Amino acid sequence: MRSRLGVVLTTAAVLMSTSAQAHVFSGDEKWFFELSALYGQASGRLQTPAGGQEGSVTPSEPQIDESGTLSAELVFGRRLNNHLLFVSYRNWGFEGTDTYQSLPQNNPTPGGTECVPIQNAFFCNGDEVKARVDMDWLSFGYGYALDFTLKGGRSLLVVPYTQLDIYRFEMEIDHVDDEKAAENGRVDRRYNKGGLRVGGILEWDQNHWLSWGGKVASSIVLSAQPTTTDIEAYARFRLWDSQNTRGSLRAGVGYTFFRYNDNQTVPNQLEVEMGPSPLLALAVQF
């Protein structure tokens, strides 16, 4: 499969570009947005049974291992003194064609063409398949900015935050050959889930034009709900400072991990990670 559009990146990092004037720019603009991207290799498994039925799926199948994956997110919000309100949307997905190859433990005959079930459809080693996977997050969050003055007059920004996530998952897998598709079936799995995430951001200024930052965020573990973990380290550069708008560029590395396990007899087991990978983000305050 070739990567189309991916996961994950900086829901709350934009909070820093709008709250601590010493770290990014001076001014009293209240609105902000950030467009961010993470580019790298994504790997994991997408085990999806049919109604939790035994025999409807092969353990840990299908696997994904995608290079050149792009993750993207858009954040939009408003600053009210130290209070920060934001909404974000991100997408992580894959689309393309490939030759199916199951795991060695599920294909014990060397060079064999054993078939494995995935949501009651069957895929044999060597089959040409086409697939589409989409994972989307719509999030609503709140943060509180704390600005401290350090030795030498430099400032440190601390932003604890929390956000509510609405998660959508879609996966389609089909045979390229229409006859095999009619004979062996196809995978079409869709569902929506919710979750709650908490995190913290640190950013300290080097000078008027440069600051250093980091972020750690993770989901609160709830029964049968998705969890996401994000870690980032970056430098932020101020790009412009006009009368009505101010902008900055954030560059660094990021890591993201997504997991979803439910409690069916045969559970859904989705685990995907990306990174450490390069990240880039443009933030605008107005």
Side-chain angles (χ1 to χ4, degrees):
M1 289 186 291
R2 292 195 178 100
S3 167
R4 181 175 62 83
L5 184 63
V7 127
V8 216
L9 190 57
T10 75
T11 297
V14 69
L15 303 180
M16 293 178 291
S17 69
T18 60
S19 55
Q21 299 169 0
H23 295 272
V24 185
F25 38 66
S26 61
D28 297 320
E29 290 80 3
K30 303 297 185 183
W31 298 95
F32 59 86
F33 74 85
E34 182 179 72
L35 179 62
S36 56
L38 182 70
Y39 185 81
Q41 182 162 342
S43 59
R45 58 179 179 174
L46 299 172
Q47 176 180 307
T48 54
Q53 300 173 1
E54 294 185 2
S56 65
V57 71
T58 305
S60 299
E61 301 272 359
Q63 295 277 312
I64 60 171
D65 189 6
E66 302 297 324
S67 60
T69 299
L70 177 65
S71 162
E73 183 177 37
L74 178 64
V75 183
F76 181 79
R78 180 172 172 80
R79 175 170 57 93
L80 301 169
N81 297 320
N82 292 73
H83 304 278
L84 302 157
L85 303 174
F86 63 91
V87 59
S88 68
Y89 170 78
R90 72 178 184 180
N91 172 270
W92 193 0
F94 319 95
E95 185 174 13
T97 60
D98 206 345
T99 301
Y100 195 86
Q101 181 64 50
S102 61
L103 294 169
Q105 61 265 33
N106 298 327
N107 183 28
T109 304
T113 57
E114 284 86 349
C115 300
V116 297
I118 301 174
Q119 206 190 20
N120 280 334
F122 286 88
F123 297 88
C124 305
N125 286 305
D127 284 351
E128 291 297 313
V129 298
K130 52 186 178 181
R132 180 183 69 85
V133 176
D134 266 323
M135 297 183 289
D136 298 287
W137 288 261
L138 178 63
S139 304
F140 303 88
Y142 167 80
Y144 190 83
L146 301 169
D147 203 357
F148 303 94
T149 300
L150 305 178
K151 265 188 174 182
R154 296 182 180 181
S155 60
L156 170 69
L157 176 69
V158 180
V159 184
Y161 72 93
T162 184
Q163 66 186 61
L164 175 67
D165 295 328
I166 301 173
Y167 166 71
R168 180 181 67 90
F169 174 79
E170 294 186 2
M171 181 172 70
E172 298 177 355
I173 306 177
D174 204 351
H175 294 81
V176 173
D177 185 278
D178 292 337
E179 291 185 5
K180 286 188 176 182
E183 178 182 355
N184 295 320
R186 65 189 299 270
V187 173
D188 190 348
R189 184 74 171 96
R190 306 164 188 265
Y191 52 77
N192 299 313
K193 296 290 181 179
L196 186 65
R197 208 180 327 172
V198 295
I201 303 168
L202 295 177
E203 187 167 320
W204 57 99
D205 64 326
Q206 179 71 33
N207 52 48
H208 186 61
W209 296 96
L210 172 65
S211 59
W212 306 96
K215 165 191 167 185
V216 176
S218 188
S219 299
I220 296 176
V221 179
L222 302 173
S223 177
Q225 297 298 325
T227 60
T228 305
T229 299
D230 296 303
I231 302 173
E232 296 174 7
Y234 57 86
R236 184 185 295 277
F237 306 90
R238 190 175 70 163
L239 297 179
W240 75 86
D241 187 351
S242 66
Q243 182 177 0
N244 298 316
T245 64
R246 309 171 194 277
S248 66
L249 180 70
R250 195 162 57 84
V253 295
Y255 169 83
T256 186
F257 176 75
F258 171 78
R259 171 182 290 170
Y260 171 57
N261 293 338
D262 61 19
N263 49 18
Q264 298 182 109
T265 303
V266 178
N268 286 281
Q269 291 185 344
L270 283 65
E271 295 184 359
V272 186
E273 66 177 349
M274 180 193 295
S277 298
L279 70 86
L280 195 65
L282 173 66
V284 177
Q285 182 184 14
F286 58 96

